[in-house]
Amino acid sequence: MARATTATIHLDALRHNLGVIRQHAPRSRVMAVVKADGYGHGLERVARTLRDADAFGVAALSDVERIRALGLSQPVLLLSGFDASEDLARLRRLRADAVIHHPDQIEMLAQAESGAPIRCWLKVDTGMHRLGFAPTLVRAAHARLSGLPAVADGIVLMSHFASSDEFADGRAGGAQTRAQLRVFAEATAGLSGPRSLANSAGVLGWPDAHGDWVRPGGALYGISVVPGRPGAGFGLRPAMTLSARLIAVNRIARGERIGYGASWECPEDMPVGVAAVGYGDGYPRQVPAGTPVLVNGRPARTAGRVSMDLTTLDLRGQPDARPGDPVVLWGPGLPVETVAEAAGTIGYEPVCSITRRVRFVED
Ligand SMILES: *Cc1c(COP(=O)(O)O)cnc(C)c1O
C-alpha cells in the first residue's frame, strides 16, 4: 500500500470562513492573510479560492509574484515592508503595497527613482513592540511620507495587537488591547486615511477595532487562538484535514512498553495500532501519549512517543480496527487547536509545519 499520509484542503471551508469574517466585520474590507504558504494550506490554492478577498497580506515579495501569476489584481500588502532599496523596483512592477515601520524605509522612498507611487501602510507601535513607529513619531513620519513623490495618496494607518485573543469579557479583561486602541487613537487623531488594526482575534472579539480594513489569517483557515474556544465555536470550519492509515494492528500484552524510550506501558492485553504518520510529516513530536485521534471517525488516543514516520495508538476502544483503516490527526471533528494545545503550541504551528512528503489534495 502506498503511503497515504494526506493533507486535504477544504476549499468550501475557506470560502465559508471568509463569509463568517465578513459577517463579523460588515463595514470593513477584508485582507486575507496568506503568508507562510497560506498558513501551510498552499498559497496559490488559497488565493485562488479566496479571489473575492479585497486584498492579500504576505511576508515576502516572492509571494506577491505568485499571487500576480494567478492573474489576481487586488492589493497585496508586504506585511513586514521592504528592507532594501533594490526591492522598490520589484515592488512597483508587482504593484505591491508596503508596510512602513522604520525611518530607513522612508529614506529609501525619498531616494527612490521616479516611478509609479507606492501605497504605504504606516505602522504604529501601540505596545506590541515588534514593528512600528513610536506613537510620538507617527505624525512626523506621516507628514514626511505624504510629501514624497514615491508615495501614493491615501496612506493607511495600521497597528497590530499583542493580545487580542483575550477578549474584553475574558478573565484578563483585554486591558492590553484596550490600551493599544487608546494609543492608536491618540497617535493618529486628525490624520486622514483608512485605519487597520484587527487580526483574526480582533475580528472575532473586538468590534471597536475593525476599522476600514481587517487582516484575518488564522480564522480563514478555521483556526482560533482564543484559549479553550476552537474555530467551530465562532462558526468557522477547519480548512485542513491531516489523515493517514493504519499499517498494523498488534496485540500487545499487559506490562509491555510501547515505542521509543519505552515510555508507555500497556495496562492490559490490548490492541495497539500503528498509523503511517509522524513528525517527519509535521505531526508534532511534542504531543503526549493520550492525545486524541480519530480512527474510522471514532475517538482513539496516541500511546507512547510520536516517531518520524509512525505513531502508535491505543485501540482498546476499537477492537475491530484493521490495517488500512483511516486515521485523522486533525480536521473536522478533531480541532487542530486541541492537538496543538497538547503539544504546547497554537493551532497555526502544526498547519504551517506539514512537510513536503505529505500529499495535498483538495475537496
Ligand atoms: C499574520 C498577521 C496577521 C494575521 O494574524 P492572524 O492572527 O492569523 O489573524 C495580521 N496582521 C499582521 C501584521 C500579521 O503579521
Side-chain angles (χ1 to χ4, degrees), residues 33 35 39 79 123 130 158 160 199-201 215-219 348:
V33 178
K35 63 197 186 192
Y39 287 48
L79 290 165
K123 187 154 189 179
R130 194 175 59 177
M158 73 176 289
H160 193 57
N199 54 0
S200 295
R215 307 187 310 267
Y348 295 2

Coordinates of all heavy atoms in Angstrom, one line a residue, residues 33 35 39 79 123 130 158 160 199-201 215-219 348, ligand 1:
V33 N -4.9 37.1 4.9 CA -3.5 37.0 5.1 C -3.1 35.5 4.7 O -3.7 34.6 5.2 CB -3.2 37.3 6.6 CG1 -1.7 37.0 6.9 CG2 -3.5 38.7 6.9
K35 N 0.3 34.6 4.3 CA 1.8 34.3 4.5 C 2.0 32.9 4.8 O 1.1 32.1 5.1 CB 2.3 35.3 5.5 CG 1.6 35.0 6.9 CD 1.8 36.2 7.8 CE 1.3 36.0 9.2 NZ 1.3 37.2 10.0
Y39 N -0.7 29.8 5.4 CA -0.7 29.0 6.7 C -0.5 27.5 6.4 O -1.2 26.7 7.1 CB -1.9 29.4 7.5 CG -1.9 30.8 8.1 CD1 -1.6 31.9 7.4 CD2 -2.3 31.0 9.5 CE1 -1.6 33.2 7.9 CE2 -2.3 32.2 10.0 CZ -1.9 33.3 9.3 OH -2.0 34.6 9.8
L79 N 3.6 42.6 4.5 CA 3.3 42.9 5.9 C 4.5 43.4 6.7 O 4.4 44.1 7.7 CB 2.7 41.7 6.6 CG 1.3 41.4 6.1 CD1 0.9 40.0 6.6 CD2 0.2 42.4 6.6
K123 N 2.9 52.0 10.0 CA 2.6 51.1 11.1 C 3.0 51.8 12.4 O 4.1 52.3 12.6 CB 3.4 49.8 11.0 CG 3.1 48.8 12.1 CD 3.3 47.4 11.7 CE 2.8 46.4 12.7 NZ 3.0 45.1 12.2
R130 N 7.1 45.2 18.4 CA 7.8 44.4 17.4 C 8.1 45.3 16.2 O 9.2 45.8 16.1 CB 6.9 43.2 17.0 CG 7.6 42.1 16.2 CD 6.7 40.9 15.9 NE 5.5 41.3 15.2 CZ 4.6 40.4 14.7 NH1 4.8 39.1 15.0 NH2 3.6 40.8 14.0
M158 N -2.0 51.8 10.4 CA -2.2 50.5 10.9 C -1.5 50.2 12.2 O -0.5 50.9 12.6 CB -1.8 49.4 9.9 CG -0.3 49.3 9.7 SD 0.1 48.0 8.5 CE -0.3 46.5 9.4
H160 N -0.8 46.5 15.1 CA -1.0 45.1 15.3 C -1.2 44.8 16.8 O -0.5 45.4 17.6 CB 0.1 44.3 14.7 CG -0.1 42.8 14.6 ND1 -1.1 42.3 13.9 CD2 0.6 41.8 15.0 CE1 -1.1 41.0 13.9 NE2 0.0 40.6 14.6
N199 N -6.4 41.6 13.6 CA -6.1 40.2 13.1 C -7.4 39.4 13.4 O -8.4 39.9 13.7 CB -4.9 39.7 13.8 CG -5.0 39.8 15.3 OD1 -6.0 40.3 15.9 ND2 -4.0 39.4 16.0
S200 N -7.2 38.1 13.3 CA -8.4 37.2 13.4 C -9.1 37.4 14.8 O -10.3 37.6 14.8 CB -8.0 35.7 13.3 OG -7.5 35.4 12.1
A201 N -8.3 37.4 15.8 CA -8.9 37.5 17.2 C -9.6 38.9 17.3 O -10.6 39.1 18.0 CB -7.9 37.3 18.3
R215 N -7.6 42.2 9.0 CA -6.5 41.4 8.4 C -6.5 40.0 9.0 O -5.5 39.7 9.7 CB -5.1 42.1 8.6 CG -5.0 43.6 8.2 CD -3.6 44.1 8.4 NE -3.0 43.8 9.7 CZ -3.0 44.6 10.7 NH1 -3.6 45.8 10.6 NH2 -2.5 44.3 11.8
P216 N -7.5 39.2 8.7 CA -7.5 37.9 9.3 C -6.6 36.9 8.6 O -6.5 36.9 7.4 CB -9.0 37.5 9.1 CG -9.4 38.2 7.9 CD -8.7 39.5 7.9
G217 N -6.0 36.1 9.4 CA -5.2 34.9 8.8 C -5.9 33.7 9.3 O -6.7 33.0 8.7
G218 N -5.5 33.3 10.6 CA -6.0 32.0 11.1 C -7.4 31.7 11.0 O -7.8 30.6 10.6
A219 N -8.3 32.7 11.2 CA -9.7 32.5 11.1 C -10.2 32.0 9.7 O -11.1 31.2 9.5 CB -10.5 33.8 11.4
Y348 N -1.9 27.4 14.7 CA -1.2 27.9 13.5 C 0.0 27.0 13.2 O 0.4 26.8 12.0 CB -0.7 29.3 13.7 CG -1.8 30.4 13.8 CD1 -3.2 30.1 13.8 CD2 -1.4 31.7 13.9 CE1 -4.1 31.1 14.0 CE2 -2.4 32.7 14.0 CZ -3.7 32.4 14.0 OH -4.6 33.4 14.2
Ligands
LIG1 C1 0.0 37.5 10.5 C2 -0.6 38.8 10.6 C3 -2.0 39.0 10.6 C4 -2.9 37.8 10.7 O1 -3.0 37.3 12.0 P1 -4.0 36.2 12.4 O2 -3.8 36.0 13.9 O3 -3.5 34.9 11.7 O4 -5.3 36.6 12.0 C5 -2.5 40.3 10.6 N1 -1.6 41.3 10.6 C6 -0.3 41.2 10.5 C7 0.6 42.4 10.5 C8 0.3 39.9 10.6 O5 1.6 39.8 10.6

